[in-house]
Amino acid sequence: MARYKIAVLPGDGVGKDVMDAAMIVLDAVGFKADYRHGDVGWEFWKKEGNPLPERTIKLLRETDACLFGAITSKPKDEAAKELAPELQGKGYVYYSPIVAIRQLFQLYANMRPCRAFPGNPLNYRDDIDVVVFRENTEGLYSGVEFHPVPGELRTLLEKLHPKMEAFKEISSEDMAISLRIITRRGAERIIRKAFKYAEESGRKKVTVVEKPNVLRETSGLMVRVAREIHEKEFPHIELEEANVDAMAMWLVKNPERYEVLVMSNLFGDIISDLAAQLVGGLGFASSANLGDTYGLFEPTHGSAPKYAGKYKVNPTAMILASKLMLEYLGEKEMAQRIENAVAEVIKEGKVRTYDMGGDSSTLDMARAIAERV
Ligand code: IPM
Ligand code: MG
């Protein structure tokens, strides 16, 4: 009997293409699992008014980890137009299923390694090896948003905060509010995770990337917690503090100076795309969504609908995501073999997908990697 139960959620668009590729590599490396396919994404939004059906949540609960492909997301109004006619006007509101899973399963750490594989023509530089730790459950993704702003809330805010004075001429209809909720629990667990990773992987520095000079309370809390955890638990690892805007610049200027970056949710979303581009773009960017009892592994890229089913996109991100899953499950040796095989194929340069200037397909790339594991 297979040791692991793995949920497989290919999702939308090229999610299926890259999932097929990852399976070729997982089979080749000898990973045995009971794979259970689940429904998620646009198709189920349109048909059922729910992109994350209850049966899928149940499936996740019954498995050890999840491999996740890609998701199509559209703004609220556009999404509503695509609902099946019989579901229109019934109050269904689209939400991002991946964000929902992260919150529901408390996958609070989104780890996004950005390593330049030597020989990748898309590398911005060859000496980059940074890992972004993005808080994954709160911050600006808390989902507490208002439009129009309810009168009660407005009155309360005006009573509590003098800065509201600046908006007094604006109608509540012309105002929208999204709450950036940062909690001590959220800050502690993501920062601890980043330090732990630094320690275990032999890295010497963690950089907390926030904006405490302006976001005094929320970013302020992140930085305070980082200092505390550093001092109490990881004094042997350097803690560096940087502002997020400056980090966007420094990562382009001196990417080799950074090892582990840790930040709140939206900052991590943005900075991880930037970091991904330094090492070849989203085709190479994988991520691990980690909680204390579950892990979900996905490429950072979207569903690229125009390439769906064409087996054209680069599957490396998804293959590296499955490698992160193996690491999470404790299958370190298999994980290492996949990473080495990816490195070899890239270095050799014979098999290259279109993003790398070649014409190999998604599956060519997968097979080349599979041959070397
Ligand atoms: C990511 C993506 C998601 C996010 C989208 C698809 C909701 O951009 O994983 O980085 O914003 O977290
Ligand atoms: Mg993103």
Side-chain angles (χ1 to χ4, degrees):
M1 223 179 64
R3 247 184 96 192
Y4 303 106
K5 290 192 206 87
I6 306 296
V8 177
L9 272 48
D12 302 313
V14 298
K16 295 188 177 62
D17 305 33
V18 297
M19 190 66 78
D20 288 349
M23 287 301 161
I24 293 176
V25 176
L26 283 169
D27 285 347
V29 82
F31 180 66
K32 299 267 182 292
D34 170 4
Y35 292 114
R36 306 194 178 176
H37 284 252
D39 299 335
V40 72
W42 204 248
E43 193 187 327
F44 304 95
W45 160 248
K46 289 201 296 191
K47 283 201 305 220
E48 302 175 26
N50 186 0
L52 179 63
E54 207 45 52
R55 59 184 179 279
T56 306
I57 295 172
K58 182 163 173 284
L59 173 82
L60 296 180
R61 292 200 203 287
E62 291 166 356
T63 49
D64 299 305
C66 171
L67 281 173
F68 193 94
I71 280 294
T72 298
S73 277
K74 297 189 188 178
K76 193 168 98 178
D77 299 340
E78 258 177 78
K81 281 190 205 129
E82 293 197 28
L83 268 181
E86 68 275 16
L87 298 178
Q88 300 255 347
K90 295 212 170 130
Y92 291 103
V93 182
Y94 181 78
Y95 62 92
S96 166
I98 184 65
V99 174
I101 294 174
R102 289 168 183 165
Q103 291 174 337
L104 201 58
F105 286 80
Q106 288 293 300
L107 306 177
Y108 58 84
N110 196 327
M111 170 199 173
R112 303 187 147 174
C114 297
R115 169 183 167 204
F117 287 101
N120 184 350
L122 299 173
N123 285 344
Y124 176 67
R125 300 223 329 221
D126 284 336
D127 54 357
I128 302 169
D129 187 7
V130 284
V131 183
V132 175
F133 278 81
R134 161 189 180 186
E135 201 293 321
N136 219 18
T137 55
E138 52 178 47
L140 271 167
Y141 280 62
S142 300
V144 185
E145 301 196 296
F146 300 94
H147 180 256
V149 177
E152 242 176 309
L153 176 61
R154 191 123 186 219
T155 311
L156 189 63
L157 288 175
E158 276 161 9
K159 193 171 126 200
L160 295 179
H161 213 295
K163 288 271 184 191
M164 285 302 290
E165 175 73 14
F167 303 105
K168 70 173 190 290
E169 321 266 274
I170 315 284
S171 76
S172 293
E173 182 55 49
D174 287 340
M175 193 187 285
I177 295 182
S178 302
L179 289 189
R180 184 181 199 243
I181 302 176
I182 304 281
T183 64
R184 172 168 280 275
R185 176 189 73 170
E188 281 179 359
R189 61 191 185 179
I190 186 65
I191 286 163
R192 195 169 278 127
K193 196 86 165 177
F195 270 109
K196 248 201 188 117
Y197 172 83
E199 184 170 71
E200 282 164 9
S201 62
R203 294 173 192 249
K204 300 195 169 47
K205 181 171 81 174
V206 170
T207 308
V208 58
V209 183
E210 283 295 329
K211 188 78 186 181
N213 52 341
V214 179
L215 303 172
R216 292 170 192 277
E217 302 310 333
T218 47
S219 283
L221 181 57
M222 282 287 285
V223 172
R224 271 202 313 279
V225 167
R227 288 180 190 166
E228 283 170 25
I229 291 187
H230 169 242
E231 205 181 288
K232 284 198 207 120
E233 300 171 34
F234 300 93
H236 47 289
I237 290 170
E238 185 191 340
L239 170 66
E240 177 181 57
E241 296 172 17
N243 284 334
V244 64
D245 52 341
M247 183 49 69
M249 188 181 73
W250 286 112
L251 270 179
V252 173
K253 195 162 186 229
N254 296 115
E256 81 290 353
R257 286 199 193 155
Y258 300 99
E259 300 180 58
V260 176
L261 309 179
V262 61
M263 62 206 91
S264 52
N265 210 333
L266 183 66
F267 291 170
D269 180 42
I270 298 168
I271 292 292
S272 62
D273 270 22
L274 193 160
Q277 192 55 45
L278 299 176
V279 299
L282 292 176
F284 294 89
S286 57
S287 57
N289 295 263
L290 305 168
D292 289 328
T293 54
Y294 199 70
L296 177 149
F297 304 83
E298 55 168 343
T300 303
H301 61 65
S303 64
K306 72 173 177 184
Y307 293 132
K310 300 205 163 92
Y311 291 96
K312 188 173 159 88
V313 299
N314 189 344
T316 305
M318 184 77 231
I319 291 168
L320 290 173
S322 57
K323 173 239 153 182
L324 291 174
M325 180 185 76
L326 294 180
E327 253 167 20
Y328 168 79
L329 294 171
E331 299 291 349
K332 305 245 151 53
E333 189 259 349
M334 285 188 203
Q336 192 60 53
R337 276 160 58 207
I338 294 183
E339 177 147 30
N340 294 348
V342 167
E344 272 176 41
V345 170
I346 291 173
K347 192 164 186 186
E348 212 179 69
K350 282 194 200 137
V351 182
R352 284 183 170 175
T353 40
Y354 84 98
D355 54 321
M356 301 170 82
D359 55 13
S360 305
S361 73
T362 303
L363 299 182
D364 291 338
M365 187 75 167
R367 287 187 203 110
I369 294 166
E371 267 168 35
R372 286 169 182 76
V373 298

